[in-house]
Amino acid sequence: MVLIATAGVAAFWLLSAPVRLAATDLAVFEAHEPDLANGENLFWAGGCASCHAAPDAEGDARSILSGGLALESPYGVFGVPGISPDPDTGIGGWSFYDFANAMKRGVAPDGRHYYPSFPYASYAKMPLTDLADLWAYLKTLPVPDSAAEIPQTQLSFPFNMRRGIGLWKRVYLDEGPVVADDALGDDPVLTRGRYLVEGPGHCGECHTPRNIGLAMDGSRWLAGAPNPEGEGRVPNITGHADGLAGWTADDIAYGLESGFTPAFDSMGGSMASVVKNLANAAAEDRAAIAAYLKAIPEIPDG
């Protein structure tokens, strides 16, 4: 019996170990000339400021990534760290390899698993060249004047068992697209929209219901879900009557820039912050997101 238990513990420890990118993947980074304009666009499309800027930061202060937000969830509180270029309070002491492993594998420089409240399940779909551009842009942002107070992450059992996330990753971490190529055809606008929504924009993290393993349920992609931060629901954003059937692609693109619905109501809650980010992204990317949302399967409320 002791032997079986020991073997079980050993198997768990091996299967739950962090899996990093191969060192040979860095060849892509080393051969790539960073594009700061693309990096800035990905910064806004990815909504980095929504979580990593100081709570209630506005204007230029949204580019000071000091952290300090407390993400409330049914499982506990996640404290959001700073990701400024500061080597002590941010990621200034990281290498690109550290950054790429955090974004695509959910692994910290010290080897710990990150909780998937950090949406690496979506960022995993980003190519290393885009990550290199984003990395280069992050290094140009200002350093905070002082260290922010970062709330302590406090989760209930069993969610506080960080090592178990390794098993979750083995089952659910996937770099492939959610919506298959044959559903989009060869349209480069739809392909771009899919990338932005499924990857850096990580829209599914809030708009998609979770399965029994608390991963996004691809069979109910973007069909709406309980609000992960509190009461109410995050809406369905497929073309179903429960979602955006009454919106045109132009309505969606305009809403992502202005925050107004076709009925001239204002988008509220966390979506207001999303709009602040996307309003700074390229207009053609907002149009691509809108085109993708109108092209994906129509699914009733999740």
Side-chain angles (χ1 to χ4, degrees):
M1 201 64 162
V2 173
L3 204 57
I4 293 173
T6 302
V9 170
F12 168 80
W13 198 252
L14 287 172
L15 291 172
S16 63
V19 179
R20 292 179 173 86
L21 294 165
T24 52
D25 291 331
L26 284 183
V28 174
F29 168 69
E30 292 164 353
H32 178 68
E33 185 67 32
D35 181 343
L36 287 177
N38 183 47
E40 180 178 9
N41 191 59
L42 289 168
F43 173 83
W44 294 116
C48 307
S50 290
C51 284
H52 292 285
D56 302 320
E58 296 289 345
D60 292 344
R62 287 170 59 78
S63 294
I64 303 175
L65 306 179
S66 57
L69 183 68
L71 287 177
E72 303 281 347
S73 82
Y75 320 108
V77 177
F78 297 94
V80 181
I83 58 168
S84 79
D86 186 84
D88 297 319
T89 63
I91 57 175
W94 290 22
S95 66
F96 174 70
Y97 188 59
D98 293 332
F99 179 68
N101 274 302
M103 294 288 282
K104 290 184 72 70
R105 294 291 186 268
V107 179
D110 64 6
R112 291 174 301 141
H113 291 295
Y114 282 123
Y115 288 108
S117 55
F118 170 42
Y120 54 79
S122 297
Y123 296 152
K125 302 179 190 301
M126 298 178 68
L128 285 172
T129 48
D130 271 1
L131 289 179
D133 293 343
L134 177 58
W135 171 247
Y137 176 71
L138 289 174
K139 291 194 289 186
T140 70
L141 296 179
V143 172
D145 291 334
S146 59
E149 183 177 346
I150 308 302
Q152 185 177 0
T153 294
Q154 295 181 315
L155 304 180
S156 58
F157 181 82
F159 306 107
N160 59 350
M161 304 295 289
R162 190 184 292 258
R163 183 76 182 199
I165 297 171
L167 300 180
W168 184 92
K169 290 178 182 178
R170 285 185 176 274
V171 177
Y172 297 116
L173 198 59
D174 184 0
E175 295 187 8
V178 178
V179 177
D181 290 342
D182 57 7
L184 304 180
D186 297 325
D187 189 332
V189 173
L190 294 180
T191 302
R192 177 66 176 174
R194 175 178 66 182
Y195 170 62
L196 291 166
V197 170
E198 298 184 9
H202 61 282
C203 305
E205 301 282 351
C206 286
H207 287 278
T208 298
R210 300 278 165 169
N211 60 24
I212 193 170
L214 301 181
M216 292 177 284
D217 183 351
S219 69
R220 296 182 289 168
W221 180 240
L222 302 181
N227 183 355
E229 296 180 45
E231 298 179 355
R233 289 183 55 78
V234 178
N236 184 328
I237 55 172
T238 74
H240 192 271
D242 293 337
L244 301 179
W247 296 48
T248 67
D250 286 343
D251 289 335
I252 298 171
Y254 179 69
L256 294 177
E257 179 183 12
S258 68
F260 288 113
T261 71
F264 291 97
D265 193 7
S266 296
M267 298 182 188
S270 58
M271 193 62 198
S273 181
V274 172
V275 169
K276 287 179 183 178
N277 296 319
L278 286 174
N280 290 292
E284 56 267 32
D285 279 348
R286 291 192 296 271
I289 290 170
Y292 167 83
L293 292 178
K294 295 299 288 184
I296 61 176
E298 300 174 7
I299 304 174
D301 268 358

